[in-house]
Amino acid sequence: MFIKFITTGGTIDKIYFDDLSQFEVGESRMQHILAEGLVTFEFDVVPLMHKDSLEIDDADRRKLRDYISGDDATRYVITHGTDTMPVTAEALSDLKGKTIVLTGSLTPARFRTTDAIFNVGMAVATAQVAAPGVYIAMSGQVFEAGAVQKNRAENRFEPIDRN
Amino acid sequence: MFIKFITTGGTIDKIYFDDLSQFEVGESRMQHILAEGLVTFEFDVVPLMHKDSLEIDDADRRKLRDYISGDDATRYVITHGTDTMPVTAEALSDLKGKTIVLTGSLTPARFRTTDAIFNVGMAVATAQVAAPGVYIAMSGQVFEAGAVQKNRAENRFEPIDRN
Amino acid sequence: MFIKFITTGGTIDKIYFDDLSQFEVGESRMQHILAEGLVTFEFDVVPLMHKDSLEIDDADRRKLRDYISGDDATRYVITHGTDTMPVTAEALSDLKGKTIVLTGSLTPARFRTTDAIFNVGMAVATAQVAAPGVYIAMSGQVFEAGAVQKNRAENRFEPIDRN
Amino acid sequence: MFIKFITTGGTIDKIYFDDLSQFEVGESRMQHILAEGLVTFEFDVVPLMHKDSLEIDDADRRKLRDYISGDDATRYVITHGTDTMPVTAEALSDLKGKTIVLTGSLTPARFRTTDAIFNVGMAVATAQVAAPGVYIAMSGQVFEAGAVQKNRAENRFEPIDRN
């Protein structure tokens, strides 16, 4: 079993310097998280971008889509900022024959209390178990691309109400 | 979406008192782990036993099986000590129409570095995404009951070699 | 034994919201840190300001000085942003008959890896053991007010070289 | 400034293997704790024993006393199991011209919530600030050797009531 991890930035990889500095996207925490999970499968981690979710644009999404389209893995976990994660998920949704799971966190992975580790655990399981397609694993749930939104006021992911 | 969590003890819930004390199974950490994962689905946590894996016997497995059989939930996450987790998984494998995922951890959830949170994240996703059946989520992988063993020497879960 | 804790903000109390938010000074972590230290002495925590170190001005320092001057405790631990901590220490240095220790952290207390807990431990011991005076406890060392500076390039506190 | 750290075992260095294993004294966590505290002073860490507090006997205390007596450092932090820490402190109390601080923890340093880091912070400050003598830094307080006991029922250190 092999999973390819692609990191794009976002809250999950935020670091903090000091009073004079901003909170910035740092090196990916993915290897640390996988080490903590004591995983034994094979994997690669590809840091494709270092961006906040709101800075990811259509060109970035094409880059991500082209990367996966031209790559021969079949299981992907993509870490991504939360604000536009649903947009990126939809932009990948016509990729066939691959199980692609986007995740991230509402609190940086470097915090003592963070949803990052739980979320990556969900994403890793979904990449193995789910049928080919594009998913978002956040807020303890696995959503299909196109059927999920971030509720900013409540700071959680939820199904889109289609009424 | 509703998941029922059943806790039975094991390393995941181990606590430590002091020099005079043994390392013992304590209150379940499940609520803490789910709070850290910022989950938004509905759930119950049922503490069915407080035992080390090696103390769980056939009567305990019947008790667990009967509990699930007589319960109307369809998604279960069971935390269990690792040494006999595969035995318990097989004992549940004739239960139909339910997705049951066993997990636990090789390091107590109270440790700063632990696989517990990652593993519960995997189990929660599997309980949502997988077809009805019995699974073990450990070592970064989702295994089917009957096809997995703990390799004690290497301290990991792996597929059974059926050659 | 009684210690009065005064919090003024700074990195030690920084929190993080999400992609759209800034990293801001939050509620003081002091009670959490003291609970983790299993302290048994009596204490009060007084949140006097919520400011980054660079925003603390002479009026703020007078406010802090007046508070302590008019208060009847004899042992103080003050948490403060690091950039101007030496300035504030000097502004308090003519207060007599009290042991006053300033501390803070280079990494927020909410991080999994942080110097905050260690530093507060140093400050608490110094407030008990040191002669009356004003001290800074940072970088594993206890400095006297007026004899210490922050080396921003190296991100540490060090003695002032008076040559 | 130079501090010599001597580790003897105890709860602070306890590790956990798995269901079949006991909770054992592991490698010292001292380097990790000092790294987390971002200390900049010079130090050595000497692992003199690997014992639970209750296993430390008079021969061990002589060994520790002889080591310090024949060593040329002037500041020591000794990590030690909590149950007999006061006994060891008294056994060192005739050593002259050195500031010696014993500390440890009621919860292993590897736990997510532990008093170990706070306690070592207290000990490091005391070793710098206190007059020559032997001290115990636990429960948020700095006690002199001979004037402190562990209250096992309350799981804390407290002054000896000499009435």
Side-chain angles (χ1 to χ4, degrees):
Chain A
M1 210 269 292
F2 173 83
I3 297 178
K4 180 161 285 190
F5 294 84
I6 301 174
T7 68
T8 70
T11 293
I12 192 169
D13 285 332
K14 285 289 177 74
I15 57 177
Y16 177 74
F17 295 103
D18 65 22
D19 288 8
L20 286 179
S21 304
Q22 296 300 319
F23 208 49
E24 293 175 12
V25 174
E27 288 303 299
S28 170
R29 295 295 290 176
M30 188 53 75
Q31 272 95 342
H32 294 265
I33 294 170
L34 296 174
E36 184 150 352
L38 301 178
V39 311
T40 55
F41 57 78
E42 291 180 50
F43 63 88
D44 277 345
V45 180
V46 178
L48 206 62
M49 301 163 215
H50 266 62
K51 290 196 174 186
D52 265 339
S53 181
L54 297 170
E55 298 165 7
I56 288 185
D57 60 19
D58 289 349
D60 294 320
R61 293 190 177 96
R62 270 195 302 277
K63 180 180 174 186
L64 176 61
R65 197 188 166 292
D66 290 348
Y67 178 89
I68 296 173
S69 176
D71 185 58
D72 59 3
T74 57
R75 305 172 200 273
Y76 294 85
V77 170
I78 302 169
T79 57
H80 194 287
T82 57
D83 281 306
T84 68
M85 193 189 293
V87 180
T88 300
E90 288 208 63
L92 302 176
S93 59
D94 63 338
L95 289 167
K96 301 299 178 198
K98 294 167 184 276
T99 302
I100 301 168
V101 190
L102 289 87
T103 194
S105 64
L106 298 168
T107 306
R110 280 170 184 77
F111 271 46
R112 184 194 281 222
T113 300
T114 173
D115 52 329
I117 298 166
F118 188 97
N119 291 347
V120 174
M122 285 203 297
V124 161
T126 303
Q128 293 171 60
V129 170
V134 181
Y135 304 89
I136 283 181
M138 288 293 295
S139 298
Q141 296 184 63
V142 182
F143 304 94
E144 292 187 34
V148 56
Q149 64 192 359
K150 180 177 176 184
N151 180 331
R152 276 194 57 80
E154 300 287 339
N155 206 27
R156 69 182 185 205
F157 283 70
E158 60 188 21
I160 291 179
D161 185 349
R162 298 265 187 215
N163 295 333
Chain B
M1 209 270 291
F2 173 83
I3 297 179
K4 179 160 287 189
F5 294 84
I6 302 175
T7 67
T8 69
T11 292
I12 193 170
D13 285 332
K14 286 289 177 75
I15 57 176
Y16 177 74
F17 295 102
D18 64 22
D19 288 9
L20 285 179
S21 304
Q22 297 300 319
F23 208 49
E24 294 176 10
V25 174
E27 288 304 299
S28 171
R29 294 297 289 176
M30 188 53 74
Q31 272 94 343
H32 294 265
I33 294 171
L34 296 174
E36 184 149 353
L38 301 178
V39 310
T40 55
F41 56 78
E42 290 180 51
F43 63 89
D44 277 345
V45 180
V46 178
L48 206 61
M49 301 163 215
H50 267 61
K51 291 196 175 187
D52 265 340
S53 181
L54 297 170
E55 297 165 6
I56 289 185
D57 59 20
D58 289 348
D60 294 320
R61 293 190 176 96
R62 270 194 302 275
K63 181 180 174 185
L64 177 60
R65 198 187 165 292
D66 290 348
Y67 177 89
I68 296 173
S69 176
D71 185 59
D72 59 3
T74 57
R75 305 172 200 273
Y76 294 85
V77 170
I78 303 170
T79 57
H80 194 288
T82 56
D83 281 306
T84 68
M85 192 189 292
V87 180
T88 301
E90 288 208 64
L92 303 175
S93 60
D94 63 338
L95 289 167
K96 301 300 176 197
K98 295 168 184 276
T99 302
I100 300 168
V101 190
L102 289 87
T103 194
S105 64
L106 298 168
T107 305
R110 281 170 184 77
F111 271 46
R112 184 195 281 221
T113 300
T114 174
D115 52 328
I117 298 166
F118 189 96
N119 291 347
V120 173
M122 286 203 296
V124 160
T126 303
Q128 293 171 61
V129 171
V134 181
Y135 306 88
I136 283 181
M138 289 292 296
S139 298
Q141 296 184 62
V142 182
F143 304 94
E144 292 187 33
V148 56
Q149 62 191 359
K150 180 176 175 186
N151 180 331
R152 277 194 56 81
E154 300 288 339
N155 207 27
R156 69 182 185 205
F157 282 70
E158 60 188 21
I160 291 179
D161 185 350
R162 298 262 185 217
N163 294 331
Chain C
M1 208 268 293
F2 173 83
I3 296 178
K4 180 161 285 191
F5 294 84
I6 302 174
T7 68
T8 70
T11 292
I12 193 169
D13 285 331
K14 286 288 177 77
I15 57 176
Y16 177 73
F17 295 102
D18 65 22
D19 288 9
L20 286 179
S21 304
Q22 296 300 319
F23 208 49
E24 293 176 10
V25 174
E27 288 303 298
S28 170
R29 293 297 289 177
M30 188 53 75
Q31 273 94 342
H32 294 264
I33 294 170
L34 296 174
E36 184 149 353
L38 301 178
V39 311
T40 55
F41 57 78
E42 290 179 50
F43 64 89
D44 277 345
V45 181
V46 178
L48 207 61
M49 301 162 216
H50 266 62
K51 291 196 175 187
D52 265 340
S53 182
L54 297 170
E55 297 165 7
I56 288 184
D57 60 19
D58 288 349
D60 294 320
R61 293 189 176 97
R62 269 194 304 276
K63 180 180 174 186
L64 175 61
R65 197 188 166 292
D66 289 349
Y67 177 89
I68 296 173
S69 176
D71 185 59
D72 58 5
T74 57
R75 304 172 201 274
Y76 294 85
V77 170
I78 303 169
T79 57
H80 194 288
T82 58
D83 281 306
T84 68
M85 193 188 292
V87 181
T88 300
E90 287 208 64
L92 303 175
S93 61
D94 63 338
L95 289 166
K96 301 300 177 198
K98 294 168 184 275
T99 302
I100 300 168
V101 190
L102 288 87
T103 195
S105 64
L106 298 168
T107 306
R110 281 170 183 78
F111 272 46
R112 185 194 282 220
T113 300
T114 173
D115 52 327
I117 298 167
F118 189 97
N119 291 347
V120 174
M122 285 203 299
V124 161
T126 303
Q128 293 172 60
V129 171
V134 181
Y135 305 88
I136 283 181
M138 289 293 295
S139 299
Q141 295 184 63
V142 182
F143 304 95
E144 292 187 34
V148 56
Q149 63 191 359
K150 180 176 175 185
N151 180 330
R152 277 194 56 80
E154 300 287 339
N155 205 27
R156 69 183 185 205
F157 283 69
E158 60 188 22
I160 291 178
D161 185 349
R162 299 261 185 219
N163 293 332
Chain D
M1 208 268 293
F2 173 84
I3 297 179
K4 179 161 286 189
F5 293 84
I6 301 174
T7 67
T8 70
T11 292
I12 192 169
D13 285 333
K14 286 289 177 75
I15 57 177
Y16 176 74
F17 297 102
D18 65 23
D19 288 9
L20 286 179
S21 304
Q22 296 301 319
F23 207 50
E24 294 176 10
V25 173
E27 289 302 299
S28 171
R29 294 296 289 176
M30 187 53 75
Q31 272 95 343
H32 294 264
I33 294 170
L34 296 173
E36 184 150 353
L38 301 177
V39 310
T40 54
F41 56 79
E42 291 180 50
F43 63 89
D44 277 345
V45 180
V46 178
L48 207 61
M49 301 163 216
H50 266 61
K51 292 195 175 186
D52 265 339
S53 182
L54 297 170
E55 298 165 6
I56 289 184
D57 60 19
D58 288 350
D60 294 320
R61 293 190 176 97
R62 270 195 303 276
K63 180 180 174 185
L64 176 60
R65 197 187 165 292
D66 289 349
Y67 178 89
I68 296 173
S69 176
D71 185 61
D72 59 3
T74 57
R75 305 172 200 273
Y76 294 85
V77 170
I78 303 170
T79 57
H80 194 289
T82 57
D83 282 305
T84 68
M85 193 189 291
V87 180
T88 301
E90 287 207 65
L92 303 175
S93 61
D94 63 338
L95 289 167
K96 300 299 177 198
K98 295 168 183 276
T99 302
I100 300 168
V101 190
L102 289 87
T103 194
S105 63
L106 297 168
T107 305
R110 281 170 184 77
F111 272 46
R112 184 194 280 220
T113 300
T114 173
D115 52 327
I117 298 167
F118 189 96
N119 291 347
V120 173
M122 285 203 297
V124 160
T126 304
Q128 293 171 60
V129 171
V134 182
Y135 305 88
I136 283 181
M138 289 293 296
S139 299
Q141 295 185 63
V142 182
F143 304 95
E144 292 187 34
V148 56
Q149 63 190 0
K150 180 176 175 185
N151 180 332
R152 277 194 55 82
E154 300 288 339
N155 206 26
R156 68 182 187 206
F157 282 71
E158 61 188 20
I160 291 178
D161 185 349
R162 300 263 186 216
N163 293 332

